[in-house]
């Protein structure tokens, strides 16, 4: 029992839930170090397409060549996540007071869901095409809308892969996250995204 008389397990599962949510923000990716994510995405994109990649060489090359834009995206994301987090926390606390606040809470969560979906596309577009930051966000938003349900399915799968090991075996799950889960989710998202970008944005994606 905890000090409030409730089961200690509740706090453990709450911690696991927030860790899983944080894992999704890292793996999709939203909260990342921009250049590192660009290099990481390039290597995973090659692996997902069953192409050869030099782990360190390709990672370093594409981290450096996309550094400016990826840092800018990273800073935008940090601000957006902070604002959305504060908004969800505020409106969720008062959502029971009025159906209006409940609707606002639902809208914010929906916008955050679209925000997550956008980030499945953003770094693959960054490393594949010569686009401005505005074009990357604009295209990612369009893909998040026109492929909403497939995107939702991939997000759900990613959440399950992050949360299930943590819920069943918290310590092992955390170890798996750093050594296996991140790469697995990255491969899944790149395997899913690459054909879409090839179909809608160009015929021959390198």
């Amino acid at each position: 029992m905890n000090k409030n008389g409730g089961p200690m397990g509740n706090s453990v599962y709450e911690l696991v839930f927030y860790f899983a949510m944080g894992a999704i923000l890292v793996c999709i990716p939203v909260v990342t170090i921009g250049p590192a994510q660009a290099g990481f995405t390039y290597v995973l994109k090659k692996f997902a397409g069953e192409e050869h990649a030099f782990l360190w060489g390709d990672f370093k090359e594409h981290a450096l060549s996309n550094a400016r834009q990826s840092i800018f995206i990273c800073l935008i994301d940090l601000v957006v996540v902070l604002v959305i987090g504060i908004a969800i926390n505020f409106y969720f606390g008062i959502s029971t007071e009025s159906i209006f606040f409940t609707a606002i809470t639902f809208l914010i969560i929906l916008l955050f869901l679209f925000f997550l979906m956008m980030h499945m596309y953003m770094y693959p577009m960054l490393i594949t095409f010569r686009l401005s930051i505005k074009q990357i966000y604009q295209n990612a938003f369009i893909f998040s809308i026109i492929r909403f349900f497939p995107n939702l399915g991939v997000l759900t799968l990613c959440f399950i892969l992050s949360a299930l090991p943590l819920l069943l075996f918290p310590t092992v799950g955390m170890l798996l996250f750093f050594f296996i889960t991140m790469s697995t989710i990255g491969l899944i998202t790149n395997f899913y995204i690459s054909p879409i970008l090839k179909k809608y944005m160009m015929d021959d994606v390198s």
Side-chain angles (χ1 to χ4, degrees):
M1 303 286 286
N2 59 22
K3 293 181 180 180
N4 296 324
M8 184 63 72
N10 288 347
S11 61
V12 172
Y13 281 103
E14 184 178 347
L15 177 63
V16 167
F17 174 79
Y18 284 118
F19 187 89
M21 287 301 299
I24 291 298
L25 294 180
V26 171
C27 295
I28 290 303
V30 177
V31 179
T32 59
I33 300 174
Q37 186 60 51
F40 186 57
T41 300
Y42 181 83
V43 172
L44 290 177
K45 173 182 173 253
K46 288 293 185 181
F47 285 165
E50 298 183 351
E51 300 177 45
H52 176 72
F54 295 99
L55 289 179
W56 174 244
D58 286 337
F59 172 86
K60 181 180 178 181
E61 177 186 349
H62 289 273
L64 293 176
S65 63
N66 295 287
R68 184 181 62 83
Q69 285 188 309
S70 60
I71 289 173
F72 198 59
I73 289 173
C74 181
L75 294 176
I76 294 173
D77 290 345
L78 288 174
V79 173
V80 172
V81 169
L82 179 62
V83 171
I84 290 179
I86 292 173
I88 290 177
N89 184 63
F90 174 76
Y91 284 106
F92 188 79
I94 62 174
S95 61
T96 56
E97 298 179 9
S98 165
I99 190 173
F100 174 73
F101 291 129
T102 302
I104 291 179
T105 304
F106 175 79
L107 179 61
I108 293 173
I109 293 174
L110 183 62
L111 289 174
F112 184 62
L113 189 60
F114 277 114
F115 188 67
L116 288 178
M117 291 178 182
M118 288 171 60
H119 281 75
M120 292 193 295
Y121 296 90
M122 288 174 59
Y123 280 94
M125 282 193 290
L126 173 67
I127 63 167
T128 306
F129 306 102
R130 292 185 178 274
L131 300 172
S132 66
I133 297 294
K134 179 181 177 181
Q135 289 172 325
I136 290 174
Y137 275 94
Q138 185 179 53
N139 290 337
F141 181 67
I142 292 172
F143 281 125
S144 72
I145 293 175
I146 65 175
R147 296 191 58 84
F148 177 81
F149 289 107
N151 293 339
L152 184 61
V154 173
L155 276 181
T156 302
L157 176 60
C158 291
F159 183 80
I160 291 172
L161 290 175
S162 296
L164 194 59
L166 293 168
L167 290 171
L168 297 177
F169 310 102
T171 302
V172 175
M174 289 187 183
L175 291 175
L176 287 175
F177 171 74
F178 292 105
F179 292 102
I180 297 177
T181 307
M182 285 182 64
S183 298
T184 301
I185 291 177
L187 281 172
I188 290 172
T189 54
N190 278 277
F191 184 81
Y192 166 68
I193 295 301
S194 293
I196 297 172
L197 296 184
K198 184 175 182 179
K199 177 180 179 180
Y200 288 100
M201 297 190 68
M202 66 183 298
D203 295 327
D204 187 19
V205 178
S206 59

